[in-house]
């Protein structure tokens, strides 16, 4: 069908289910444990695989003997993932994968492998740039205006050093998959963020046609940007299965290996110098940044963040290569770090100027690309946080040992929906199936698809059968960059509209009118504005006889047609209490004001922001991947010492979504990433406001807070 119908979203006052609070379609399955993840899959005759990893941060594999392991009880196949002579750049690198009848047998056998190494010099402490030597390389320089003159002309100058360490994705479902060969066909059950594409990637790795790979995944237990590729364990699992005669093999990383090599968010540090006029006008920015994402280093962060148009700027960046596993995308790549560096430096400047940070950030909002958005969001966040009553200048926290503080952070993201194809099938019995090769990362994608289809077809949400999670369905993009909801909502809208128009053609004669005069409302097909001239949905579908209607819909980023948009803003305010005797930071409240265009389901949209704020709280207060400089190994690859916040640690979270007409008319814009961004800065600034001094490097653990209070480095 030509792409000519009016696919535009209904006006807000005409929406029946879009914009209304809907519970997740898969909520009961997940809450009850009936939802099965790839990790839960147990195929008949399945083998269990484990991996031998390198214990050294930098080494050359000199010898490898797997003969004893191959003869060990229960072992069915062995796959070399590294070969003698290979230089290994980080501890945890995969050397051998082995599959056996039971996991215990596999672990017994893996211990019998003899691997010898030539240990080489390593470097893992990027925070100490002076010790990096040749591991540090210039990786960017930018200049605008005349920074030197601007500093001379500035009434006030503020300088500081700030840092965000490496943190882990900490996916509760580890990375991995189950793979089974049936002849030349490979059946693949991964934990992935890209059902439509990951099978093709694996096919290239094992040298078979992409059409020979059947990928299926119902649920994924966390990804956050780290589960796009098959990784090295994907082809290893496939080869183990093939060597075992095609038997299914389950290979998921154990928790320690997961936390060491399965992906991380890179570190960023910066020395920042700012200048301003007495009235609070920011005039000049200078930053010297560095950081690492592991062996590959890291690119320059987007500084100054959001406030990009400061007229005088000088930026330099150094990429540090360390002997650690390489970074992967992590929910708003580089943005949380850049927001922290920027907003902390600006907050320190505001304190030097003795200005209210809300007023200071608002005064300089003209340096953002949407001043009216940020000004409005700053005002709304301040209102919800009761800023005027609770904020105080630094050093004015009262006489008690527990100090209260308020701080803010800002965010942005693009979030334009990805390419997506959707197929809608209307059956003669009235049932409706919507099929996409998409995935639901736990964000409520299934429910969003059903809501859009139900809105278009005039049906209840639960009357729609949503089929996703399989590459046999029409291709839809991977879930990354906050692109999923925009992509699938647009393709679903077009597909269901196309199918509905076909149904109108069949039904129109029975209602004595033309197809263009029909509408779908409340489970009926009726003449527009005339409920008396109608057929129930079931009766209308019976007119199909033995035929079905099958129609496609396509979302094209180059021609979104007003259904989707990109580019959002957000502001977060943190309210904390800090015990100056113990250094303990406690969250009282986090307020998040966020733009995401047209909101399809407020309930799951708010849930996204709740989760994002919790992630920010974890990263600000507890999370840090700690390397031992002497051995180069990760010291906390477990959930006991790699700390995540519990429900009692996050305080109250208040979410406000911008649903005003000027935001709604932009169409659907992705929401997953932006609310993870501003929380780090908000909490960092709140702690500084509470105790009167800056804790420069995250996480704000007790020893770092106490060190800041004592005027020493943590």
């Amino acid at each position: 069908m030509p792409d000519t119908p009016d696919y535009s979203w209904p006006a807000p006052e005409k929406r029946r289910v879009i914009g209304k609070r809907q519970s997740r379609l898969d909520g009961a399955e997940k809450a009850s444990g009936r939802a099965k993840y790839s990790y839960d899959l147990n195929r008949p005759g399945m083998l269990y695989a484990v991996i031998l990893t390198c214990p050294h941060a930098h080494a050359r594999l000199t010898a490898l003997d797997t003969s004893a392991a191959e003869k060990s009880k229960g072992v069915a196949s062995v796959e070399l993932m590294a070969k003698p002579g290979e230089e290994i750049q980080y501890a945890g690198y995969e050397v051998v994968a082995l599959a056996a009848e039971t996991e215990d047998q596999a672990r017994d056998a893996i211990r019998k492998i003899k691997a010898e190494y030539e240990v080489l010099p390593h470097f893992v402490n990027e925070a100490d740039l002076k010790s990096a030597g040749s591991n540090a390389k210039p990786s960017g320089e930018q200049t605008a205006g005349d920074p030197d003159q601007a500093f001379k002309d500035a009434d006030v100058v503020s300088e500081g050093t700030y840092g965000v360490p490496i943190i882990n994705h900490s996916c509760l479902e580890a990375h991995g998959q189950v793979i089974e060969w049936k002849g030349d066909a490979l059946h693949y059950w991964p934990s992935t963020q890209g059902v439509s594409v990951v099978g093709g990637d694996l096919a290239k790795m094992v040298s078979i046609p992409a059409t020979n790979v059947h990928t299926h995944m119902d649920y994924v237990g966390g990804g956050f940007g780290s589960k796009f590729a098959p990784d090295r364990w994907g082809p290893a699992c496939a080869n183990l299965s093939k060597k075992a005669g095609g038997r299914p093999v389950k290979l998921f990383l154990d928790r320690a290996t997961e936390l060491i090599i399965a992906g991380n968010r890179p570190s960023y540090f910066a020395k920042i110098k700012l200048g301003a006029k007495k009235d609070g006008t920011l005039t000049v920015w200078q930053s010297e940044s560095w950081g690492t994402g592991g062996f590959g280093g890291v690119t320059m962060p987007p500084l100054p963040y959001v406030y990009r148009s400061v007229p005088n700027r000088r930026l330099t960046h150094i990429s540090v290569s360390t002997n650690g596993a390489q970074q992967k995308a992590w929910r708003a790549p580089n943005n949380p770090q850049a927001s922290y560096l920027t907003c902390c430096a600006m907050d320190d400047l505001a304190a030097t100027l003795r200005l209210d940070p809300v007023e200071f950030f608002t005064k300089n909002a003209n340096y953002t690309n949407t001043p009216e958005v940020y000004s409005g969001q700053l005002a709304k966040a301040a209102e919800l946080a009761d800023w005027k009553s609770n904020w105080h200048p630094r050093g004015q926290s009262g006489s008690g040992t527990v100090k209260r503080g308020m701080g803010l952070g800002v965010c942005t993201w693009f979030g334009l929906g990805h390419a997506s194809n959707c197929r809608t099938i209307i059956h003669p019995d009235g049932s409706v199936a919507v099929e996409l090769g998409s995935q639901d990362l736990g964000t409520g994608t299934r429910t969003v698809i059903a809501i859009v289809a139900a809105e278009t077809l005039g049906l209840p949400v639960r009357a729609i059968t949503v089929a996703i999670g399989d590459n046999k369905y029409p291709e839809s993009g991977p879930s990354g960059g906050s692109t999923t909801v925009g992509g699938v909502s647009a393709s679903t809208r077009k597909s269901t509209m196309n199918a509905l128009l076909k149904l109108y053609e069949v039904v129109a004669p029975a209602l004595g009118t033309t197809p263009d005069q029909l509408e779908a409302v409340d489970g009926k097909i009726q003449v527009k504005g005339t409920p008396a001239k109608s057929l129930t949905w079931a009766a209308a579908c019976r007119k199909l006889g033995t035929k079905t209607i099958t129609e496609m819909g396509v979302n094209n980023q180059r021609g979104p047609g007003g259904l989707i948009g990109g580019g959002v803003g957000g502001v977060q305010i943190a309210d904390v209490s800090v015990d100056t005797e113990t250094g303990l930071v406690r969250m009282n409240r986090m307020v998040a004001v966020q733009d995401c265009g047209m909101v399809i389901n407020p309930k799951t949209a708010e849930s996204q922001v709740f989760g994002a704020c919790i992630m920010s709280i974890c990263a600000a207060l507890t999370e840090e991947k700690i390397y031992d400089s002497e051995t180069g190994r990760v010291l906390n690859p477990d959930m006991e010492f790699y700390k995540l916040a519990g429900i009692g640690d996050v305080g109250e979270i208040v979410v406000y979504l911008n649903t005003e007409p000027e935001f709604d008319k932009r169409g659907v814009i992705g929401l997953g990433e932006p609310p993870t961004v501003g929380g780090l800065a908000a909490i960092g600034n709140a702690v500084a406001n509470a105790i009167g001094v800056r804790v420069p490097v995250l996480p704000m653990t007790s020893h770092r807070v106490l060190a800041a209070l004592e005027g020493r480095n943590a």
Side-chain angles (χ1 to χ4, degrees):
M1 177 175 288
D3 192 10
T4 54
D6 179 10
Y7 296 119
S8 58
W9 300 114
E13 66 276 8
K14 294 184 178 180
R15 296 171 191 164
R16 298 178 308 103
V17 289
I18 287 178
K20 308 299 189 294
R21 301 180 70 83
Q22 303 282 343
S23 295
R24 297 169 189 260
L25 296 181
D26 53 10
E29 285 77 8
K30 289 183 174 180
S32 65
R34 295 197 304 271
K36 298 303 178 185
Y37 296 76
S38 296
Y39 197 101
D40 297 324
L41 186 66
N42 292 300
R43 299 285 297 163
M46 190 172 72
L47 301 169
Y48 298 83
V50 298
I51 297 175
L52 175 72
T53 62
C54 175
H56 306 293
H58 188 197
R60 182 172 287 105
L61 180 62
T62 57
L64 187 61
D65 183 356
T66 62
S67 57
E70 292 171 11
K71 298 173 184 176
S72 188
K73 182 180 178 180
V75 172
S77 55
V78 174
E79 174 72 6
L80 302 187
M81 301 179 73
K83 296 180 180 179
E86 185 172 341
E87 185 175 351
I88 293 172
Q89 297 292 351
Y90 52 85
Y93 187 83
E94 310 96 312
V95 177
V96 179
L98 177 152
E101 298 291 340
T102 69
E103 186 174 345
D104 286 342
Q105 289 175 341
R107 296 201 179 282
D108 286 342
I110 210 83
R111 286 191 284 268
K112 297 177 183 178
I113 295 174
K114 296 178 181 179
E116 298 179 8
Y117 303 91
E118 175 192 356
V119 180
L120 302 172
H122 66 263
F123 175 74
V124 293
N125 183 19
E126 81 285 0
D128 181 12
L129 188 59
K130 294 179 180 178
S131 66
S134 60
N135 289 71
K137 300 184 186 303
S139 182
E141 185 173 349
Q142 299 174 13
T143 303
D146 189 344
D148 293 329
Q149 186 61 47
F151 278 118
K152 291 178 182 178
D153 296 340
D155 296 320
V156 174
V157 173
S158 174
E159 297 184 66
T161 300
Y162 314 90
V164 181
I166 292 173
I167 69 170
N168 287 323
H169 290 73
S170 300
C171 304
L172 294 186
E173 180 188 30
H175 289 65
Q177 64 285 301
V178 175
I179 289 179
E180 177 179 357
W181 289 86
K182 292 185 178 179
D184 293 332
L186 187 153
H187 293 259
Y188 185 26
W189 294 271
S191 181
T192 183
Q193 293 178 235
V195 165
S196 286
V197 299
V198 72
D201 293 339
L202 179 62
K204 293 177 184 177
M205 294 177 170
V206 296
S207 302
I208 62 173
T211 52
N212 285 20
V213 179
H214 176 212
T215 306
H216 184 91
M217 182 196 72
D218 291 319
Y219 302 96
V220 57
F224 319 121
S226 66
K227 289 183 176 178
F228 293 115
D231 293 293
R232 299 185 71 238
W233 42 80
C237 185
N239 290 335
L240 286 171
S241 173
K242 196 162 196 175
K243 289 178 179 179
R247 289 179 65 181
V249 173
K250 176 186 281 190
L251 174 52
F252 280 84
L253 302 185
D254 59 57
R255 182 53 54 183
T257 306
E258 171 79 11
L259 290 177
I260 294 171
I261 69 171
N264 63 73
R265 188 176 76 183
S267 65
Y268 278 105
F269 300 84
K271 296 178 181 178
I272 300 174
K273 181 179 178 181
L274 303 182
K277 297 178 181 179
K278 289 181 181 179
D279 66 357
T281 302
L282 178 62
T283 57
V284 56
W285 169 285
Q286 178 175 292
S287 58
E288 303 167 30
S289 59
W290 72 95
T292 189
F295 182 65
V298 71
T299 58
M300 178 184 285
L303 298 176
Y305 185 71
V306 173
Y307 289 75
R308 301 286 286 169
S309 299
V310 177
N312 303 290
R313 306 184 302 277
R314 180 186 292 119
L315 295 80
T316 60
H317 180 70
I318 293 175
S319 176
V320 184
S321 175
T322 58
N323 294 107
Q326 296 190 47
Q327 65 172 310
K328 291 186 178 181
W330 195 100
R331 207 167 174 181
N334 298 353
N335 281 241
Q337 304 97 310
S339 177
Y340 179 79
L341 299 176
T342 299
C343 296
C344 288
M346 289 179 63
D347 187 82
D348 284 350
L349 178 58
T352 303
L353 288 161
R354 297 180 180 174
L355 290 176
D356 180 326
V358 170
E359 295 177 4
F360 177 71
F361 277 72
T362 302
K363 182 176 183 62
N364 291 286
N366 58 302
Y367 293 146
T368 73
N369 62 352
T370 52
E372 68 288 348
V373 171
Y374 286 103
S375 296
Q377 290 179 330
L378 284 162
K380 188 64 180 180
E383 173 195 330
L384 294 172
D386 199 11
W387 179 276
K388 289 184 178 180
S389 299
N390 296 324
W391 180 83
H392 52 74
R394 288 190 192 178
Q396 299 182 24
S397 305
S399 58
T401 58
V402 177
K403 311 290 188 181
R404 185 177 182 182
M406 306 276 284
L408 68 86
V410 299
C411 75
T412 188
W413 194 252
F414 190 54
L416 182 69
H418 58 44
S420 176
N421 298 274
C422 175
R423 179 167 54 229
T424 296
I425 304 171
I426 300 176
H427 295 280
D429 65 357
S431 60
V432 178
V434 179
E435 301 175 343
L436 304 89
S438 186
Q439 52 284 315
D440 189 338
L441 300 192
T443 58
T445 303
R446 281 183 177 85
T447 310
V448 163
I449 292 169
I451 289 171
V452 171
E455 182 72 55
T456 305
L457 301 176
L459 297 173
V461 172
R462 292 189 176 273
I464 308 298
T465 299
V466 177
I468 61 173
D470 200 300
N471 68 346
K472 70 183 180 183
Y473 301 133
E475 183 173 344
S476 195
S479 292
S482 300
T483 60
T484 305
V485 166
V488 301
S489 63
S491 65
T492 300
R493 174 67 173 173
K494 291 182 177 181
S495 174
T496 51
M497 181 66 76
N498 290 342
L500 182 61
L501 295 180
K502 285 290 188 182
L503 183 60
Y504 286 166
E505 292 177 5
V506 174
V507 172
L511 292 174
T513 188
T514 56
D516 62 310
Q517 293 302 307
L518 295 179
E519 61 182 351
V521 180
D522 296 331
K524 297 181 292 184
I525 303 296
Q526 66 182 35
V527 177
K528 289 181 179 179
T530 313
K533 294 184 177 180
S534 66
L535 290 173
T536 65
W537 177 264
C541 291
R542 283 197 293 270
K543 298 292 183 183
L544 295 172
T546 59
K547 297 180 180 180
T548 61
I549 292 174
T550 302
E551 289 293 321
M552 296 294 297
V554 179
N555 178 53
N556 185 340
Q557 288 182 310
R558 295 182 179 180
L563 292 173
I564 60 175
V568 297
V571 171
Q572 294 182 354
I573 289 180
D575 180 340
V576 306
S577 293
V578 185
D579 189 322
T580 55
E581 291 185 331
T582 65
L584 181 66
V585 179
R586 179 168 294 279
M587 291 298 304
N588 299 320
R589 181 167 54 173
M590 178 79 84
V591 171
V593 176
Q594 187 62 55
D595 160 26
C596 62
M598 188 188 84
V599 179
I600 294 176
N601 185 4
K603 190 172 185 178
T604 52
E606 290 172 6
S607 179
Q608 278 281 77
V609 183
F610 289 144
C613 289
I614 291 170
M615 280 187 153
S616 295
I617 293 166
C618 292
L621 299 183
T622 64
E623 285 191 82
E624 181 178 12
K625 190 172 189 175
I626 301 173
Y627 283 89
D628 175 34
S629 293
E630 292 299 317
T631 65
R633 300 188 69 172
V634 178
L635 294 177
N636 58 337
D638 54 57
M639 303 311 289
E640 180 179 4
F641 295 105
Y642 187 90
K643 295 291 188 182
L644 298 176
I647 196 64
D649 301 319
V650 300
E652 179 188 9
I653 299 174
V654 178
V655 177
Y656 181 86
L657 298 175
N658 288 118
T659 57
E660 297 85 352
E662 63 269 27
F663 296 98
D664 183 272
K665 69 181 181 182
R666 301 184 63 209
V668 178
I669 306 174
L671 178 62
E673 259 101 337
T676 66
V677 172
L680 300 187
I683 296 168
N685 289 333
V687 171
N689 179 243
I691 64 176
V693 294
R694 171 67 59 186
V695 181
V697 177
L698 298 179
M700 276 171 262
T701 54
S702 293
H703 82 280
R704 285 195 172 113
V705 172
L706 294 175
L709 286 166
E710 295 169 6
R712 57 182 173 83
N713 292 325

